[in-house]
Amino acid sequence: ETWLYATVREYAAEKVASGNYAEEGAVERSQGEFDALLPQGLQTPGHEIRSMIDDAGEAVGYVWFTIEDRPVGKVVFIYDIAVDPAHRRKGHAQAALAEVEAYAGEHDCIGVMLHVFGSNIGARELYRKAGYDETNVIMLKRV
């Protein structure tokens, strides 16, 4: 519940900042998306929410993904990946991406997809470094 509460609010804030949601009602709209994706919470069949554990056995982040049929074919879609601020830039996200990619291969998927907000420069660089190609870019100029 703690993870869901924080993640719903973070997602709403990012959607507002990127121009996808109006501020009013953003948390409720975000909650609705999460309710649709995870109707049984962490027990929703087909969804994997895995902790990232460092060498000392400490949880340092998580990754949430599922297998989906997309127009390009069957893929693993990463809904969220995050590393706690104190543990960033230590290779945890790269290791998690490699694990998800292995999972995709084990499940006969053609690849791994994800969405990243344009303002998240660090994540975009991480994904490019890991071999991901940008397939869509939506831009907004506020006037």
Side-chain angles (χ1 to χ4, degrees), residues 13-72:
E14 288 180 302
K15 291 292 256 185
V16 169
S18 66
N20 289 247
Y21 286 177
E23 191 164 349
E24 185 176 333
V27 171
E28 292 79 10
R29 193 169 172 188
S30 176
Q31 184 66 59
E33 287 192 38
F34 277 76
D35 290 345
L37 288 168
L38 296 171
Q40 296 174 29
L42 297 177
Q43 304 308 313
T44 301
H47 286 260
E48 300 283 338
I49 303 172
R50 298 185 179 181
S51 295
M52 292 178 209
I53 307 296
D54 67 9
D55 293 336
E58 182 179 355
V60 297
Y62 65 89
V63 60
W64 165 25
F65 59 92
T66 190
I67 294 175
E68 295 184 350
D69 287 315
R70 295 278 178 141
V72 70

Side-chain angles (χ1 to χ4, degrees), residues 67-77 108-111 113:
I67 294 175
E68 295 184 350
D69 287 315
R70 295 278 178 141
V72 70
K74 186 169 85 167
V75 299
V76 170
F77 192 89
D108 299 319
C109 295
I110 64 152
M113 294 180 79

Side-chain angles (χ1 to χ4, degrees), residues 73-94:
K74 186 169 85 167
V75 299
V76 170
F77 192 89
I78 297 175
Y79 276 95
D80 198 10
I81 182 169
V83 176
D84 297 337
H87 299 282
R88 291 184 182 156
R89 306 272 186 245
K90 297 178 182 175
H92 300 301
Q94 285 179 323

